[in-house]
Every structure is written in C-alpha cells, then in structure tokens.
C-alpha cells in the first residue's frame, strides 16, 4: 500500500476473532495486533483504527463474538450486559491501540472509530455512544474520535455542527460512507457506469449532504466503495468488480470526492482478503477479494496503478488538502464539467474535469478557461468516457513555477542539483505545460519529442508534446534551478516509484514494486519485486555511488537525465514447479449417525429458555447451539425417543444454518436426507425447515435414535440493529405430522459442536478454525495425524458416503528462496462457477481451515493459501472433509495446487507456530501392582471413539474405552501389561502404541 501511494490504512479489529469465551482474549500469533500496528509504522502508513465493538464487514456476527449471542440485553444499545461485554473488548483492544498513537509519539494511529453504521439514534443508542466515548478516553485513547454514518444522515456529528437535522455524538470528526459505484450484473458483466455524487462542497448541503453535515470538520468518507463482496451461488463477480470499479471509476469518483473537499477518503476495500475458517458472514463465501486494488492473492491490479497516480499526486501537490470552491468554470461543451478549487494560502488552483453527467461514455475534445494571477488562458482537453482529469495551475513546484499543465502531476521532487517533475496523460493524447521564467531558458530534449514556445512578454515557456512512452526534457537557465521534466503516458508513469530516504527522496523506474529504499552514505539499498524484463533506473540522493537491489550490487551508468541506469535487467523469478497432489488417504466418519454411538460425554440439550430470536415452540427444549457454547462450524445432535403408540410417519426439522447452510439427518442409522438453504441471492435465507418421511420399517414401537448434523455457516450481521446475530444456529425445533405421536415433545437430545466449546482446544488457530465434525474433534485435520493405515485412494472420487469423509495427503514445496509465490488450492473446474456434483468440502492446510468449497453452489474453486500457513520450502499437509448426500457423482473432484503469481522478491515470511497432531501418551510405571500404566489424550485429539487395548501377554488382551485419560491398574497380581495400543474405533487408526 505504501509503495502504491497510500498514506494511511484503515483497519477493522474483530472482537469475535480474539475472544472465544467471555473474559478470554487472545492477541498472540496470527492475532498479534501490536505486530500489525508496528508494521504500519515501519512502512510509514497512518492507521485509522476501527474496533467496533460492532464492525459489520461481512464477518460472522458483524464482529460480535459467538458468546455474545446468548446475552439478554439488546446489542448496540445501553443494555447493561451488552455494555459490560463491550467494555471488556475495548479494555483489551484500546490497551494495544494506545501504545501506537501518534499523539504519544509512539506510533501512527491517528483516529479511532466508535461503533460502525449505528443507524438507530434513540436515547439508548445515544447513551451507548456516550458510554463508548467515555470508555475509550478512560482507556487512554487521545486521538480524535469519529463514527461512520451509514449513508449520509447527519448522524453522530461533533458538537461544533449546528446544522439542522443532525444528531450530535461524542465525536471530534463527522464521517459517512457510501457505495455509489454500483455492482456488476448477476451474469458477471459490468453494465454501464453510475453517476459520481457530490458529497461535499458541490453537494446539496445540510444534514444529509455528506460532509456538509459538519462544516467545521474535514470532509471524511470513512468508507467509499472500492469494489463489492460476492455471495454463495453467484457467477463470481470479483474480476468484474475490479473492472466496473476500475481505473475509470476511481478517477471519476475519487476525483469528484477530492473536488468536493473530502480530504479523508478511505477506500473499502483496498486489499482484497480471505475470510478464513468460519469467519465469513452468511452473505459472503470464503473469498473476500472484493475486486479490490490488491487482489486476494496479494497482486496489484490495474486499479492499484491508478491509486498510485492519485496517491503520488496528493502527496506532492499538498495545497489540494486546503482548498475552497473557486469561481465557476464553463467548458466549451455542456457535456463536460470542470470543478475549480483554490487554496487561499498559496492561490494554487485545481481543475477537475469530467463528463456532465459523469457517467457519459463518449470521448470529447473541449477547451476551458484558466484564469490565474499569471494570466488568462484557454486550454484544450480530451475527456474520454469514464475518465476524469486533475489539473493544477499557479503552482510553485519546488524551485519552479507551473502556470498550468493539461497533463496530470504524478510527483515532483527537489534534488541536490535541480528539480525533477513527472507528469502524465492518456496514451496518444497531446499535452501542454506552461512554466514561467524571468528570461528565456534552454530546453534540451533528451528523449522523445516536444516543442517549446517562448513568450518574452509573459515569461511563459510553453511545451507541447504527445503522451507516448517517456519524453525527457532538461530546462536550464531562465533564473531558476534546472528542471528535469519527465512526460509520460500513464502506463509508463506507473512504472515509477518514489520513496523517501534519510538522504532525500529517491525515484525509481522499472521494477514491479519498490518496497524499501535506504541510503547509507554512498550506498542506496533498494528492495522490491521484479518479473522478467524489468529494468532499473534510479534518481538517487546526491551522494549515491552504489545501488543495491535486494542486497546485490547493480552495475549502473549515469544517464543524461541525471539518473543511474542499471546495465542489465533485474533478475526474473526462477520457475516454480508445483507437485501434483497424489497419495491420498481416505477415511469415512459420521459415526454419530450410528444408533450405538457413545454420546454420553455430550452435553444434554434440555434448556428451557434462550435469548435467541428463534425460540422453540412451547414444550420443546432449547436446541440452538450457541446456548450450549458451540458457536462455529458443524454441530451434531442425537435425539432419543420411545414410541409407545402409533409412530409418526414424517419428521420436520427447523434449523438455522447461515448462508448456504445445511443439515443431514439419520434415523436409527438410516440416512433420511439433507436440506440445503437456498443460495444465488445476495441476502440468502439463513433458516429453513425440511420434512422427511419416516421409512415404514422405522415406524415401530420402542426406542429410536435420530442423528442430525447441521452445518452452521456463521451468524448474521446486525446491520439493522435488531439483534439479527441472535438468530438460532443448529436445530431450532422438531415437528411430526398430526397423524403420528408427538415425538417432538418426547425426544431427549444431546449436542456436540467443536471440541471444548468456548474452551477451544486449539488456541493457536483460534475460535474460527474448527467446528464439530468427528474428524475435527479427533485431530484428522492436523499435520502428523497417523493416517498410515487409512485406505489409499485416488481423485476424482466417483461418489462419497452420505455424511462426511476425509481425504488427506502431504506435499513438499520447493519454491525458490528468491521468489515470492502466491499459491492456492483448487477443487474442480475453475472455468465454471459450479459443477453438478452435490457435495461440499472444508479445506485444511496444515490444520488451518482455509475455506469451504460447495461444488453445486459455487462460485469459488481456488482458495488462496498464505505463506506462513503454507511452508513454501517444506512439507505440507492437506486434509479435506467432504460432506455429501452420497448420490452418484457426488464425490470429491480433482484437487490441485495453483500458482496465482510469482515475483522475484517479496518479504521474508516466518512460518506460523502451530501444533500438529499430538497422540495420546502412554506411560508405564514399572510397578507390579497398583497403577501399572497411564494413558492421557491431549484435548485436540479427544475423539469419542477411542479405545485402549492392553496386551497382558500370554494371549490375554483387554479393551477399554478412553476419553481424556485412563489408569491401568494391576488386575492380576504379578502380571504386567506388555503393550498398550490406542485406536480410533471408527476406522481402526492406530494412534499410539507402546511396549512396557
Ligand atoms: C458498509 C460496512 C462495512 C461493510 C461494507 C460492505 O456498510 O460499514 O463493514 O459491510 O458496508 O462491504
């Protein structure tokens, strides 16, 4: 981001990501937010901190932890239990943010946001906001506070605003959000552009006019669209969003914001991400690529280069941040508008030209007047469809005076022996730049073509040229410092990078990315990324004699343009060879469907009250998973009932599953079927009911066992301030038909979700990593799980069992150490959004839940796996949990590794320190009587079907069930066990064996 011209990063902090249980907070490992804020400071980015407590952000519960769903009080109000919980979180996160505040000189945090899009403004919400502000201040936060007004309502303005219709809040700044760019069509095409709105100086004004709600504070868009998220069952719109809100959109909309005086603009999102594990909210799938400037695999898109042009412009032409409206400017054609702003201190003028209305798509040539203290000019301009231009006039540019330019300024810098300016324009378009001198200067064209005209009366030197590649001019004399003027087309301009060093600014041309620049006396050390054919040219600080690129000296020669040019190209990445995924091991699971499955360790689900918004009918127990401490992923239920009279012939189950959630049901071990919530809409239903016919042979008197597995695709967000996150997950209620006996009132239930519930057994991977599948509860997802005696198999699989089965393999990567490769796992055919196969898969890489693939829903096939989770130089474990309805063809499709991009360079990545499978431990005491041996099972390997087989020698073996631990005592005096073997009885896997 820093390299691409951003000066700040806005970061949400997700409460639920850090808090698996009330009072429990984790900021270690991948959740280390101190490290994130240190990084921002190191690279020189300001931080806009947005810790909620509510964030939305398409994450489960909108950032609320799972445990908060069981509270009585309404969230986002002054309810006592909610405030106490919110305080808990703020105490934790503020303690970290406080250490990084710019106001303390100890970091780059410049602002903190209270809440997010709180659009209820009643007395309880007002008290809540006041409470948050007092809390944050009491926590030592001294940076200005703001909130993010959902849309532009004039909510939560600072006390300085007296605009009628606004709602005051405990804020220092007013901020709002907006997504006016529109989304792609459902068929994945961009459609026609939207009109860029005026939400500041040129708008309608008043409480609902955007920045006008708070005239005394800077115009602040806390979120402004930089893409959009995508939903289960779409055709996959991220690539389209990157075009729809691509370079043309960015120029038109963000330039309009600049014209409107919005001096704080946060683009949501800039870095496309991944909602790993159970983090995504029901409205989105694993990928949160967003069509953002940086795609999910960390690669800058074309739109990142436009942001770089804009970022560099704003960084160099500083008067832009202080401007007021100037006089009205009328272009020669009515379909073009020109915003005109002036900085009162310097008199510098900004002209922002685009179509009127801005969504017109014609290409037009016009002229418009520039009237400045330097004189009156009429200048030519081309405005293409979906484009806008930023032009500057009457500007003191280092030691030069720019009368005007129809090119855009990318950057300018004062160097030891003169000035340098880089201007750019659309390829093939003409440009005109006028500079002022006391006497006629000498113009030397070093490369490309340009003509100059000298006006002795005004002192104007006019340069005319075409933007094509790079034209380099040297202008000297005329009573000013020499100027190196670089005139580029956009694509060429985008190959330039600028960073500051202690010895002054450095401009670099050529590499894919310039990450750092450090000057040590005569040595300029650069780091960055390159691909095949990247050159290197450097305008270094004065004393530079040696240029290092990623630590290696680059031989250079001086050029007439004052730069050092490398004598050979930057190194290209070495080819990356990815192994085919083979040697698959297979095991079925879902033993819970078997009537004889031992569920005595499971929680009894017999609560009679719940704070969920989906309460069971009178007489039925509360079944919703959150009430039993299971907040993420899959949940199993086993219900026992006894038929004494007429048996029911149907059973209906109501459940909450989130987006694309589902359940599967078995009766007495017989698979009855599954139900999947409808998808293919942006706000999918998150609960459902399905009724199954009870097979005739199971309509018998006597005991019955019903087993249900519910896939909970996370909690709703609470965007509507209506406690939507409290909608039940898992089973909600049961109904049988009137003809049958009311088994719904007679079922005794047990429930099992993720191992440990709120006391998560894998704190390294955290609360969002695991649900309650048998394999997850037994460590099947982890590296080093002893799958040696699992069945060998190959992919694709032609079918699968009804229920869940697992595929495991390992692969060794040998990505060249000099390369930064971004890799992914691909399932099925990525050229089509979905396949016909009716199954879904959870993808675990080295034990980390990297996302969910739903074959017949789609659209995502490729799952980005970040380095650090992935070992690019070693052995990795891939485990895939396939949940299928068991029909023909509904088995796991081909699985492969995908190289999403490789560059030479990157940044060093350390592997996350996450545990592999830890087998049960067996200890022999060496005694002859009493305790002979002990067995203990680590919490994350505690399957419910473990057995310890004790071989006493002389042909005698005994087998005992094993949960957490077992003490083997001397049954026959004088005889000691010879060996102990621990197996998983579900598939016979030998987990541990030890001889005395
Ligand atoms: C905003 C919200 C963000 C995110 C965004 C859409 O309204 O503040 O958190 O949800 O919409 O991606």
């Amino acid at each position: 981001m820093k390299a691409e011209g951003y000066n700040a990063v806005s970061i949400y902090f997700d409460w639920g990501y850090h808090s698996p249980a009330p009072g429990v907070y984790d900021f270690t490992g991948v959740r280390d937010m101190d490290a994130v804020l240190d990084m921002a400071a190191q690279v020189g980015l300001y931080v806009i901190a947005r810790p909620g407590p509510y964030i939305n952000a398409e994450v489960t519960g909108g950032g609320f932890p799972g445990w908060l769903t069981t509270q009585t009080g309404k969230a986002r109000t002054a309810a006592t239990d909610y405030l106490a919980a919110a305080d808990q979180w703020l105490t934790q996160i503020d303690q970290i943010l406080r250490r990084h505040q710019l106001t303390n000189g100890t970091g780059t945090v410049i602002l903190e946001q209270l809440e997010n899009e709180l659009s209820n403004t009643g007395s309880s919400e007002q008290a809540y906001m006041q409470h948050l502000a007092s809390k944050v201040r009491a926590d030592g936060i001294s940076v200005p506070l703001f909130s993010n007004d959902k849309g532009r309502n004039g909510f939560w303005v600072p006390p300085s605003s007296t605009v009628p219709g606004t709602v005051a809040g405990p804020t220092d700044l007013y901020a709002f959000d907006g997504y006016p760019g529109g989304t792609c069509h459902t068929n994945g095409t961009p459609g026609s552009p939207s009109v860029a709105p005026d939400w500041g100086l040129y708008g309608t004004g008043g409480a609902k006019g955007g920045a006008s709600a708070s005239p005394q504070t800077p115009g602040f868009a806390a979120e402004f669209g930089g893409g959009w998220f995508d939903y289960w069952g779409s055709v996959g719109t991220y690539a389209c969003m990157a075009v729809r809100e691509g370079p043309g959109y960015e120029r038109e909309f963000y330039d309009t914001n600049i014209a409107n005086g919005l001096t704080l603009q946060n683009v949501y999102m800039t870095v496309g991400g991944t909602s790993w594990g159970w983090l995504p909210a029901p409205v989105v799938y694993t990928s949160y690529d967003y069509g953002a400037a940086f795609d999910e695999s960390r690669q800058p898109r074309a739109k990142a280069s436009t942001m770089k042009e804009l970022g560099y412009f704003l960084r160099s032409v500083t008067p832009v941040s202080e401007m007021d409206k100037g006089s009205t400017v009328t272009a020669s054609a009515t379909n073009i508008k020109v915003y005109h702003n002036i900085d009162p201190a310097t008199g510098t003028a900004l002209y922002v030209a685009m179509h009127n209305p801005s969504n017109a798509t014609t290409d037009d040539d016009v002229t418009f007047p520039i009237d400045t203290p330097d004189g009156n000019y009429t200048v030519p301009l081309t405005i293409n469809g979906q484009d806008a231009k930023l032009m500057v006039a009457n500007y003191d540019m280092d030691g030069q005076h720019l009368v005007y330019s129809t090119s855009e300024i990318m950057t300018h810098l004062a160097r030891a022996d003169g000035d340098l300016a880089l201007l750019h324009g659309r390829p093939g378009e003409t440009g005109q730049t006028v500079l002022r001198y006391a006497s006629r200067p000498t113009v030397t064209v070093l490369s490309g073509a340009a003509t100059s005209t000298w006006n002795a009366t005004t002192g104007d030197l006019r340069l005319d040229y075409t933007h094509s590649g790079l034209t380099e001019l040297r202008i000297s004399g005329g009573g000013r410092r020499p100027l190196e003027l670089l005139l580029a087309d956009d694509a060429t301009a985008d190959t330039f990078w600028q960073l500051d060093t202690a010895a002054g600014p450095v401009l670099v041309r050529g590499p894919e990315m310039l990450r750092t620049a450090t000057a040590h006396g005569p040595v300029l050390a650069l780091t960055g990324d390159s691909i095949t054919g990247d050159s290197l040219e450097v305008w270094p600080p004065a004393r530079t004699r040696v240029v290092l690129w990623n630590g290696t000296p680059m031989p250079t020669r001086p050029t007439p343009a004052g730069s050092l040019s490398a004598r050979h190209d930057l190194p290209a990445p070495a080819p990356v060879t990815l192994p085919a995924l083979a040697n698959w091991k297979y095991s079925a699971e879902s033993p819970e469907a078997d009537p004889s499955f031992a569920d005595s360790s499971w929680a009894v689900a017999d609560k009679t009250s719940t704070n969920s918004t989906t309460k069971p009918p009178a007489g039925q127990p509360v079944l919703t998973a959150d009430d039993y401490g299971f907040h993420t992923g899959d949940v199993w239920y086993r219900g026992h009932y006894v038929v004494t009279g007429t048996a029911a012939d149907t059973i209906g189950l109501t459940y909450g599953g989130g987006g694309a959630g589902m359940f599967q049901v078995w009766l007495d071990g017989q698979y009855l079927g599954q139900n999947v919530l409808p998808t293919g809409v942006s706000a999918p239903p998150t609960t459902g009911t399905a009724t199954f016919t009870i097979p005739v042979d199971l309509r018998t008197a006597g005991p019955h066992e019903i087993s249900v597995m519910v896939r909970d695709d996370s909690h709703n967000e609470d965007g509507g301030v209506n406690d939507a996150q409290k909608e039940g997950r898992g089973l909600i209620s049961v109904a049988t038909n009137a003809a049958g006996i009311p088994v719904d009132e007679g079922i005794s239930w047990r429930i099992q979700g993720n191992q440990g519930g709120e006391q998560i057994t894998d704190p390294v991977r955290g609360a969002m990593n695991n649900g309650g599948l048998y394999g997850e509860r037994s460590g099947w997802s982890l590296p080093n799980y002893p799958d040696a005696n699992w069945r060998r198999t190959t992919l694709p699989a032609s079918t699968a069992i009804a229920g869940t089965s697992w595929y495991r393999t390992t692969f060794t990567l040998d990505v060249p150490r000099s390369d930064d490769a971004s890799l992914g796992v691909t399932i099925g055919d990525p050229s089509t959004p979905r396949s016909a196969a009716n199954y879904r898969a959870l993808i675990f890489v080295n034990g980390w839940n990297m996302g969910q693939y739903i074959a017949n829903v789609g659209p995502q096939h490729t799952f980005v796996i970040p380095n650090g989770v992935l070992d690019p130089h070693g052995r990795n474990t891939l485990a895939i949990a396939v949940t299928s309805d068991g029909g023909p063809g509904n088995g796991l499709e081909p699985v492969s590794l995908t190289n999403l991009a490789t560059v030479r360079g990157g940044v060093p990545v350390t592997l996350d320190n996450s545990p592999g499978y830890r087998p049960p431990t067996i200890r022999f005491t060496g005694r002859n009587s009493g305790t002979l041996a002990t067995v203990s099972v680590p919490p994350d390997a505690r399957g419910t079907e473990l057995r310890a087989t004790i071989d006493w020698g002389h042909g005698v073996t005994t087998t005992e069930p094993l949960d957490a631990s077992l003490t083997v005592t001397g049954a026959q005096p004088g005889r000691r066990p010879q060996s102990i073997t621990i197996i998983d009885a579900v598939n016979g896997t030998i987990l541990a064996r030890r001889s005395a």
Side-chain angles (χ1 to χ4, degrees):
M1 284 181 69
K2 179 68 178 184
E4 299 279 11
Y6 290 78
N7 62 359
V9 57
S10 145
I11 308 175
Y12 274 140
F13 297 86
D14 183 314
W15 180 2
Y17 183 66
H18 296 277
S19 181
V24 179
Y25 289 85
D26 190 322
F27 293 93
T28 61
V30 296
R31 281 172 292 282
D32 182 349
M33 295 300 125
D34 266 312
V36 170
L37 295 166
D38 281 343
M39 260 180 240
Q42 270 160 26
V43 302
L45 288 171
Y46 292 121
V47 175
I48 301 177
R50 310 205 297 154
Y54 182 74
I55 61 171
N56 212 62
E58 288 73 74
V59 289
T60 179
F64 284 150
W67 55 264
L68 199 82
T69 60
T70 61
Q71 285 205 324
T72 315
K74 187 178 176 197
R76 312 180 73 189
T77 71
T80 344
D81 53 352
Y82 172 72
L83 287 188
D87 283 357
Q88 231 184 53
W89 160 241
L90 288 174
T91 299
Q92 296 285 331
I93 191 68
D94 285 343
Q95 187 176 309
I96 294 169
L97 295 172
R98 189 178 61 199
R99 291 199 280 271
H100 299 267
Q101 296 183 97
L102 193 75
T103 40
N104 299 346
T106 52
T108 53
V109 172
I110 50 167
L111 294 167
E112 182 162 328
Q113 182 180 320
L114 302 175
E115 250 284 340
N116 185 52
E117 295 191 320
L118 181 61
S119 49
N120 284 10
T121 58
S123 57
S124 186
E125 285 82 5
Q126 300 218 14
Y128 165 47
M129 287 293 277
Q130 288 294 343
H131 178 97
L132 292 181
S134 315
K135 167 66 181 155
V136 161
R137 289 297 183 218
D139 284 344
I141 297 299
S142 51
V143 296
L145 303 179
F146 71 100
S147 196
N148 174 24
D149 182 8
K150 182 179 192 162
R152 293 139 309 282
N153 312 288
F155 294 162
W156 315 121
V157 299
S160 65
S161 172
T162 53
V163 175
T166 53
V167 174
T171 52
D172 302 300
L173 296 175
Y174 170 68
F176 59 89
D177 66 14
Y179 292 80
T183 53
C184 285
H185 294 316
T186 52
N187 68 0
T189 58
S192 42
S194 308
V195 174
D198 291 311
W199 286 342
L201 296 177
Y202 295 87
T204 53
K208 299 190 188 308
S212 53
S214 178
Q216 306 302 314
T217 56
F220 184 179
E223 287 175 24
F224 194 91
W228 193 247
F229 57 93
D230 200 18
Y231 52 84
W232 286 113
S234 106
V235 295
T237 57
Y238 288 139
C240 176
M241 276 313 295
V243 172
R244 174 159 188 142
E245 297 195 357
Y249 162 87
E250 292 177 320
R251 289 198 176 111
E252 220 160 68
F253 285 68
Y254 305 157
D255 290 4
T256 299
N257 287 344
I258 290 168
N260 274 277
L262 305 188
T263 51
L264 291 114
Q265 259 197 84
N266 170 36
V267 177
Y268 192 101
M269 304 280 292
T270 282
V271 181
T274 307
S275 302
W276 290 294
W278 298 107
L279 192 60
V283 291
V284 69
Y285 48 90
T286 304
S287 174
Y288 197 60
D289 176 275
Y290 222 83
F294 295 87
D295 73 16
E296 191 188 3
S297 64
R298 300 184 282 115
Q299 309 308 310
R301 290 187 158 116
K303 59 190 283 190
S305 296
T306 312
M307 293 309 288
K308 178 163 119 181
E309 294 163 10
L310 197 52
Y312 279 33
F313 168 80
L314 292 171
R315 188 154 74 192
S316 49
V317 188
T318 53
V320 171
S321 64
E322 306 274 353
M323 289 187 162
D324 297 332
K325 251 179 173 176
S327 57
T328 305
V329 168
T330 309
S332 61
T334 54
N335 67 342
I336 301 295
K337 66 178 163 187
V338 183
Y339 297 94
H340 174 212
N341 291 352
I342 304 263
D343 169 26
T346 59
T348 299
L350 174 70
Y351 297 87
V352 184
M354 68 186 73
H355 277 101
N356 187 20
S358 71
N359 61 344
T361 52
T362 52
D363 296 347
D364 296 281
D365 290 325
V366 293
T367 59
F368 75 98
I370 285 182
D371 299 338
T372 75
D374 292 323
N376 301 339
Y377 305 83
T378 299
V379 305
L381 197 67
T382 301
I383 294 289
N384 299 320
Q386 269 275 274
D387 199 3
K389 285 182 176 163
L390 294 166
M391 286 155 301
V392 174
N394 186 31
Y395 178 44
D396 285 329
M397 188 171 72
D398 302 318
Q400 316 297 323
H401 182 75
L402 180 72
V403 177
Y404 71 83
S405 178
T406 63
S407 299
E408 294 178 287
I409 298 175
M410 179 114 165
T411 186
H412 58 81
L413 41 151
R415 307 185 65 227
D417 49 358
D419 297 333
L420 187 153
L422 171 61
L423 275 47
H424 66 106
R426 311 295 169 264
E429 283 183 16
T430 56
Q432 218 175 68
T433 295
V434 177
L435 295 154
R436 183 148 293 196
Y437 293 90
S439 58
R440 181 174 197 155
T442 309
V443 179
T444 317
V445 180
L446 303 171
S447 71
T451 58
S452 61
T453 320
W454 169 248
N455 183 329
T457 319
T458 58
D460 281 356
L461 175 75
R462 195 178 106 179
L463 303 163
D464 286 276
Y465 47 88
T466 299
H467 299 101
S468 169
L470 187 64
T471 296
E472 294 174 288
L473 309 180
R474 153 135 354 100
I475 307 169
S476 49
R480 294 190 185 277
R481 280 156 53 87
L483 170 68
E484 209 66 55
L485 187 59
L486 309 181
L487 303 165
D489 61 23
D490 297 326
T492 306
D494 295 344
T495 64
F496 282 83
W497 305 90
Q498 186 183 341
L499 285 176
D500 289 324
T501 73
V506 50
L507 190 70
V508 168
R509 180 188 176 199
E512 283 301 290
M513 170 102 36
L514 177 68
R515 292 180 179 276
T516 63
T518 324
H520 309 277
V523 179
L524 176 66
L526 305 176
T527 66
D529 299 351
S530 57
I531 58 167
T532 308
D534 280 355
S535 58
L536 181 70
E537 186 176 0
V538 186
W539 285 263
R543 290 179 56 203
T544 303
R545 297 290 170 271
V546 178
V547 176
L548 302 182
W549 177 258
N550 288 339
T552 305
M554 294 293 291
T556 58
R557 63 168 162 264
T559 74
S563 64
L564 296 174
S565 176
R567 289 177 183 272
H568 51 77
D569 282 352
L570 291 171
V576 176
T577 316
L578 294 179
L581 298 176
N583 303 321
W584 291 96
K585 292 300 190 73
Y586 169 86
S587 176
E589 52 126 285
S590 305
E592 300 91 339
D594 188 323
S596 67
F597 181 83
D599 62 15
S600 58
S601 67
W602 290 16
V604 174
D606 61 355
K607 293 196 174 175
T608 52
S609 72
T610 174
N611 289 320
S612 79
T613 55
T614 42
K615 305 195 192 307
Q620 286 196 28
V622 171
L623 295 176
T624 36
D626 289 293
D627 290 286
Y628 299 94
F630 302 119
H631 305 303
T632 45
D634 298 339
V635 186
W636 274 94
Y637 293 85
R638 285 172 50 87
H640 182 79
Y641 64 93
V642 180
V643 175
T644 50
T646 316
D649 53 18
T650 66
I651 185 157
L653 298 165
T654 297
Y655 71 113
M662 57 132 22
F663 75 84
Q664 299 188 314
V665 55
W666 291 257
L667 187 60
D668 299 333
Q670 234 185 81
Y671 180 62
L672 300 189
Q674 68 177 29
N675 182 263
V676 180
L677 292 170
T679 49
V681 287
S682 55
T686 48
T687 61
T689 298
T691 301
F692 298 85
T693 302
I694 294 179
V696 177
D697 58 327
L698 300 182
R699 295 179 202 164
T700 54
H704 294 276
E705 230 19 270
I706 179 170
S707 302
V708 183
M709 193 285 278
V710 185
R711 169 144 306 172
D712 288 341
D713 284 340
S714 76
H715 292 97
N716 298 341
E717 297 171 295
D718 188 26
V721 204
N722 53 7
D723 267 351
Q725 79 284 2
K726 292 181 184 169
E727 184 180 81
R729 289 295 178 263
L731 283 183
I732 293 169
S733 61
V734 183
T736 53
N737 62 335
I741 61 152
V743 296
D744 48 332
E745 287 171 25
I747 307 179
S748 47
W749 289 99
R750 283 183 188 266
I751 180 172
Q752 174 69 56
N754 66 299
Q755 189 80 280
E758 291 179 355
Q759 275 61 57
I760 53 170
T761 54
D762 183 353
V764 173
R765 296 184 182 86
M768 304 294 175
N769 202 62
N770 288 107
L773 288 176
Y774 183 85
E776 292 180 278
R777 288 169 8 236
S778 312
W780 296 11
S781 56
L782 296 172
N784 304 331
Y785 181 81
D787 59 15
N789 64 337
W790 283 23
R791 180 154 75 68
R792 286 184 174 283
T793 193
T794 55
L795 291 177
S798 56
T799 187
I801 62 154
T804 297
S805 48
W806 287 68
Y807 294 79
R808 287 176 52 90
T809 190
T810 60
F811 56 92
T812 302
L813 293 175
D814 187 17
V815 175
R817 300 249 168 206
S818 54
D819 287 4
D820 176 7
S822 179
L823 306 182
V825 168
T826 300
I827 304 183
D829 175 8
S831 69
T832 160
R834 54 200 126 259
S835 69
N838 188 355
Y839 75 95
R840 55 183 65 200
L842 298 180
I843 302 162
F844 294 90
V845 177
N846 296 328
W848 294 83
N849 182 342
M850 296 282 93
Q852 180 174 202
Y853 169 77
I854 309 185
N856 54 342
V857 172
Q860 187 176 3
H861 286 273
T862 297
F863 295 77
V864 176
I865 316 295
N867 293 331
V869 164
L870 199 66
D871 182 352
H873 314 295
R875 199 168 99 119
N876 296 277
T877 302
L878 176 60
I880 300 181
V882 171
T883 300
S884 169
D885 76 343
N890 296 339
L892 184 57
E893 295 155 283
V895 182
S896 57
L897 296 172
T898 302
N899 187 352
L900 297 158
T902 308
V903 295
R904 175 96 174 219
V907 290
V909 175
T910 40
L911 294 184
D912 66 61
N913 188 11
S914 49
Y917 179 78
R918 284 164 297 173
T921 53
I922 304 164
R923 276 197 193 85
F924 291 97
T925 61
R927 290 202 214 110
N928 279 326
S929 61
T931 301
L932 306 177
T934 55
V935 176
S936 83
V937 186
D940 53 357
R942 228 168 258 179
T944 49
E945 293 287 293
L946 300 185
R947 304 274 184 274
T949 301
I950 302 145
D951 181 350
W952 297 90
H954 310 289
V956 180
T957 61
T958 57
T959 295
E960 305 200 27
L962 172 64
D963 181 26
S965 63
L966 178 73
T967 306
V968 181
T969 51
Q972 295 151 299
R975 183 170 284 184
R976 288 193 278 165
Q978 303 299 300
S979 72
I980 297 176
T981 306
I982 313 297
I983 64 152
D984 184 334
V986 163
N987 56 9
T989 304
I990 298 166
L991 302 174
R993 165 179 274 159
R994 193 147 179 213
S995 299

